[in-house]
Amino acid sequence: MNDETILLAHGSGSRLSHELIEKNFLPPLDNPLLAKLDDSAVFDLIGRLAFTTDSYVVNPIFFPGGDIGKLAICGTVNDLAMSGAKPLYLSLSFIIEEGLTLSELTKIVKSIKAAAEEAEVKIVTGDTKVVNRGGADKLFINTSGIGIIPDGIDISGANAIVGDKIILSGTIGDHGIAVMSQREGLKFSVPVQSDCAPLNKLVSQMLEASSQIHCLRDPTRGGLATTLNEFARQSNVGIRVEETKIPVHDGVRAACELLGFDPLYVANEGKLIAIVAPHDAEKVLTKMKRNHYGTDASIIGEVTNEHKGKVVMKTRLGASRIVDMLSGELLPRIC
Amino acid sequence: MNDETILLAHGSGSRLSHELIEKNFLPPLDNPLLAKLDDSAVFDLIGRLAFTTDSYVVNPIFFPGGDIGKLAICGTVNDLAMSGAKPLYLSLSFIIEEGLTLSELTKIVKSIKAAAEEAEVKIVTGDTKVVNRGGADKLFINTSGIGIIPDGIDISGANAIVGDKIILSGTIGDHGIAVMSQREGLKFSVPVQSDCAPLNKLVSQMLEASSQIHCLRDPTRGGLATTLNEFARQSNVGIRVEETKIPVHDGVRAACELLGFDPLYVANEGKLIAIVAPHDAEKVLTKMKRNHYGTDASIIGEVTNEHKGKVVMKTRLGASRIVDMLSGELLPRIC
């Protein structure tokens, strides 16, 4: 049974496609909306909706701390949460390379189930395509998601105001280094695990603590530096951060020194940056520290009216340097 | 300029990613929701929502009558329309193989724009990933979509009732044969064009004509035969169709005879099957024939209480045969 592999016919709309869905996808992911197997899932919603999409092409598909399935759920849940939405419904679309083993696929579906349960979201519609050997690299997953934004919440990268505080939820670079070390077969003395996690509950606790959270974003591709630059540009403000306030795990620091990476640019999958009105910053921070995914949270800087559109970092040695957006490719296929 | 190609860095979240989005994707697809460039698109909706997803892996990405961009819009618009929904918002996610030329990508984005305009849907959120050469096959696209279902509409593959009429909107097999002939470099005396088209306006005209449309589906992968089998199973009814009522273009018929294909199993991308209460069938048919995409529409059979879960066809010669679901793989990567 463990040797069974995915064939082109599993993606043809044929009997084999139907069997794959009915035997391997429906039982773990079952819910009344998905079970109808119509072309669209149908449900009632009222309010302000958030809608997002991401394709996941991480290589390798299994890495320390997660796999492509967990990543595909957490990444899309987090994109919804970063708009202040409560994530509700996800779509799930597989592009499978012929020859992937059924046991690998089953393991990934199990991760999807676990992550969706933790985030309390439902997979309500899906699609499966199979391409010939060499036409893809094992497995790509797209998840799109729908959430509801509670009344009174207005979060956008364009909402930062001079004087606001910048809060980072924890250590940076863990996901990128974990994937890269698995891919390259590197062994570090301090092993690094991906931080891949659903952050929607952390966000809802932060929103309970303050109605003055102006920006939220998860620093994935391009890392902390790129997300801060996006905020600076979208809001047309300056951003100043302090290097000593940014937590980095020893293993990540060592790996980055060895490989010549700057952790500021390395991808995260379970971290967020919040820009918060100054009078509410400590309150939000306290709440974050009580959540499992925010124990290392820290106020790392503030929004300024100097050097608009740019990010400046006060270094460990007391100097100031401009932190630019990532300009080339650091680590391909990290998510 | 025409020699510019997509690099890994275009998918890294870096400056190049931002430039690709701002120069190549935003201008043609622009609308206020997309332009915000936050992680999620945010909009107000009230009512019964339809939500669907599909990944498109068609090979080749350009074919007679369309390309992967047009297909990705029409396919998802049609999935929404088949639930009775008015399609509104789409997400758009690219997985690009390093080395795709910028001119090919630009041509595809142009097709996306044209198809979205015809269907009157907006692209409101997106994602771009680039994988190394050999890691994918030129370009894959995922589109997910959201639509609103008007009050009083309840369409599902499980709703067919004994006595209902089965209406097919036009000729079958055009898309599959067009893609296959392009891929294999075959030239037929009668050239075949893909039927790829958005059917949402046809559906809304049909729904104006009758409140008794029980099932709607577009026979894509697996063709007419597979969709009819899905209806027979989901509704636990028998389905009887007449071969002479099913329109097939001469070019498709000739290609199928030459290659040993049965047009009943060949994919369509601009056709639908409707199962309608008998007293409304002629009224719906008349309305369909007035729409550009329904001129060849025909009542091809009916729902019976015999041979439940099965599809039986009265052949050209007057015999009856069971039409089973596609069991293996006929034409891989057709959509």
Side-chain angles (χ1 to χ4, degrees):
Chain A
M1 277 295 285
N2 280 341
D3 295 317
E4 262 189 273
T5 60
I6 299 297
L7 309 172
L8 279 175
H10 282 112
S12 65
S14 69
R15 175 166 297 130
L16 268 177
S17 304
H18 286 79
E19 281 177 11
L20 180 70
I21 292 165
E22 281 160 23
K23 282 192 196 159
N24 298 86
F25 297 159
L26 277 188
L29 304 176
D30 199 27
N31 65 67
L33 290 172
L34 185 63
K36 288 195 88 174
L37 292 182
D38 281 320
D39 282 332
S40 300
V42 174
F43 44 85
D44 292 299
L45 274 187
I46 295 180
R48 282 177 74 215
L49 259 67
F51 178 36
T52 192
T53 192
D54 252 317
S55 288
Y56 299 86
V57 300
V58 65
N59 169 28
I61 57 175
F62 297 96
F63 48 82
D67 60 37
I68 190 171
K70 183 180 182 185
L71 189 63
I73 300 302
C74 295
T76 293
V77 161
N78 291 348
D79 277 348
L80 289 172
M82 296 311 138
S83 66
K86 177 180 159 54
L88 295 173
Y89 300 117
L90 261 54
S91 65
L92 175 66
S93 178
F94 293 109
I95 299 175
I96 307 173
E97 184 189 12
E98 185 190 14
L100 183 78
T101 66
L102 198 56
S103 63
E104 285 174 301
L105 186 59
T106 301
K107 206 170 152 189
I108 285 160
V109 173
K110 213 173 148 185
S111 295
I112 288 172
K113 174 190 167 72
E117 282 178 356
E118 183 184 346
E120 295 181 25
V121 293
K122 285 190 167 49
I123 314 285
V124 294
T125 189
D127 179 49
T128 306
K129 293 285 169 17
V130 182
V131 300
N132 46 301
R133 263 172 222 271
D137 194 359
K138 287 197 169 141
L139 179 64
F140 302 145
I141 299 179
N142 176 282
T143 47
S144 300
I146 295 176
I148 285 279
I149 301 179
D151 281 344
I153 288 177
D154 176 24
I155 290 172
S156 166
N159 289 355
I161 298 171
V162 172
D164 282 354
K165 298 293 181 186
I166 298 163
I167 308 178
L168 171 64
S169 68
T171 58
I172 59 168
D174 302 72
H175 176 74
I177 295 298
V179 171
M180 203 265 323
S181 60
Q182 177 75 17
R183 182 157 73 207
E184 307 299 336
L186 299 176
K187 291 228 163 56
F188 300 112
S189 50
V190 186
V192 177
Q193 297 266 317
S194 166
D195 58 345
C196 180
L199 299 178
N200 50 324
K201 288 177 195 169
L202 175 63
V203 170
S204 79
Q205 288 158 5
M206 292 165 65
L207 291 170
E208 277 167 26
S210 168
S211 60
Q212 298 296 310
I213 298 176
H214 297 150
C215 315
L216 277 177
R217 195 162 291 170
D218 52 337
T220 56
R221 284 180 288 178
L224 177 64
T226 300
T227 301
L228 291 176
N229 271 282
E230 288 169 355
F231 286 153
R233 288 185 190 192
Q234 277 184 268
S235 296
N236 195 29
V237 293
I239 283 182
R240 168 173 290 273
V241 294
E242 288 188 45
E243 188 174 16
T244 55
K245 306 278 178 156
I246 299 169
V248 183
H249 272 143
D250 289 344
V252 171
R253 194 182 300 280
C256 282
E257 276 171 15
L258 189 72
L259 300 161
F261 291 147
D262 183 339
L264 290 175
Y265 294 94
V266 179
N268 312 279
E269 288 291 344
K271 296 294 152 38
L272 63 81
I273 305 166
I275 297 191
V276 183
H279 46 85
D280 277 6
E282 284 294 338
K283 204 161 53 172
V284 172
L285 185 68
T286 306
K287 197 89 173 194
M288 289 173 76
K289 283 175 165 292
R290 284 194 207 129
N291 183 297
H292 175 61
Y293 296 127
T295 46
D296 295 325
S298 158
I299 296 175
I300 62 166
E302 61 187 9
V303 178
T304 71
N305 58 9
E306 289 162 23
H307 53 81
K308 280 185 182 169
K310 291 199 162 40
V311 178
V312 170
M313 187 167 78
K314 192 175 149 206
T315 68
R316 215 166 282 279
L317 302 172
S320 284
R321 72 167 174 101
I322 287 183
V323 175
D324 206 352
M325 199 170 258
L326 181 63
S327 66
E329 173 54 298
L330 184 69
L331 288 169
R333 297 191 50 195
I334 216 70
C335 62
Chain B
M1 281 294 285
N2 280 340
D3 296 318
E4 261 188 274
T5 60
I6 299 296
L7 309 173
L8 280 175
H10 281 112
S12 65
S14 70
R15 173 165 299 130
L16 268 177
S17 304
H18 285 81
E19 281 177 11
L20 180 70
I21 292 166
E22 281 160 24
K23 282 194 196 157
N24 298 87
F25 298 158
L26 276 188
L29 304 176
D30 198 26
N31 64 67
L33 289 173
L34 185 63
K36 290 196 86 174
L37 291 182
D38 281 319
D39 282 332
S40 301
V42 174
F43 44 84
D44 291 298
L45 275 186
I46 296 180
R48 282 177 73 214
L49 259 68
F51 178 36
T52 192
T53 191
D54 252 317
S55 288
Y56 299 85
V57 299
V58 65
N59 169 28
I61 57 174
F62 296 98
F63 48 82
D67 60 38
I68 190 171
K70 181 179 184 187
L71 189 64
I73 301 301
C74 296
T76 293
V77 161
N78 291 348
D79 277 348
L80 289 172
M82 298 308 141
S83 66
K86 176 178 162 55
L88 295 173
Y89 300 116
L90 262 54
S91 65
L92 175 64
S93 177
F94 293 109
I95 298 175
I96 307 173
E97 184 189 13
E98 183 190 15
L100 183 78
T101 67
L102 199 55
S103 63
E104 286 174 300
L105 186 59
T106 302
K107 206 169 152 190
I108 285 160
V109 173
K110 213 173 149 185
S111 294
I112 287 172
K113 174 189 165 74
E117 281 177 357
E118 183 184 346
E120 294 180 26
V121 293
K122 287 191 165 51
I123 314 286
V124 293
T125 189
D127 179 48
T128 306
K129 294 282 166 25
V130 181
V131 300
N132 46 303
R133 264 173 221 270
D137 194 0
K138 286 195 168 145
L139 179 63
F140 302 145
I141 299 180
N142 177 282
T143 47
S144 301
I146 294 177
I148 285 279
I149 302 179
D151 281 343
I153 288 175
D154 177 23
I155 290 171
S156 166
N159 289 356
I161 297 172
V162 172
D164 283 353
K165 297 293 181 188
I166 297 163
I167 307 178
L168 171 64
S169 68
T171 57
I172 58 169
D174 301 72
H175 176 73
I177 295 299
V179 172
M180 203 266 322
S181 61
Q182 178 74 18
R183 182 156 73 207
E184 307 298 336
L186 299 176
K187 290 228 162 58
F188 300 113
S189 50
V190 185
V192 177
Q193 297 266 319
S194 167
D195 57 347
C196 182
L199 300 178
N200 49 325
K201 288 178 194 168
L202 175 62
V203 170
S204 78
Q205 289 158 3
M206 292 165 67
L207 291 171
E208 278 167 26
S210 168
S211 60
Q212 297 295 310
I213 297 175
H214 297 149
C215 315
L216 277 177
R217 194 162 291 171
D218 52 338
T220 56
R221 285 181 286 179
L224 178 64
T226 299
T227 300
L228 291 176
N229 271 282
E230 288 169 355
F231 285 153
R233 286 183 191 193
Q234 276 185 269
S235 297
N236 195 28
V237 294
I239 283 182
R240 169 173 289 273
V241 294
E242 288 188 45
E243 187 173 15
T244 55
K245 306 280 178 152
I246 300 169
V248 184
H249 272 143
D250 289 345
V252 171
R253 193 182 301 280
C256 281
E257 275 172 16
L258 189 72
L259 300 161
F261 290 149
D262 183 339
L264 290 176
Y265 294 94
V266 179
N268 311 279
E269 288 292 343
K271 298 294 153 39
L272 64 82
I273 306 166
I275 297 192
V276 183
H279 46 84
D280 276 7
E282 282 296 339
K283 204 162 53 173
V284 172
L285 185 67
T286 306
K287 197 88 174 196
M288 289 173 75
K289 283 175 165 293
R290 283 193 209 132
N291 183 297
H292 175 62
Y293 296 127
T295 46
D296 295 326
S298 158
I299 295 174
I300 62 166
E302 61 186 10
V303 178
T304 71
N305 57 9
E306 290 162 22
H307 52 81
K308 279 184 182 167
K310 291 198 162 38
V311 178
V312 169
M313 186 168 78
K314 193 176 148 200
T315 69
R316 215 165 280 280
L317 303 172
S320 284
R321 72 167 174 100
I322 287 182
V323 175
D324 206 351
M325 198 170 256
L326 180 63
S327 66
E329 175 53 297
L330 185 68
L331 288 169
R333 301 199 35 202
I334 218 69
C335 62

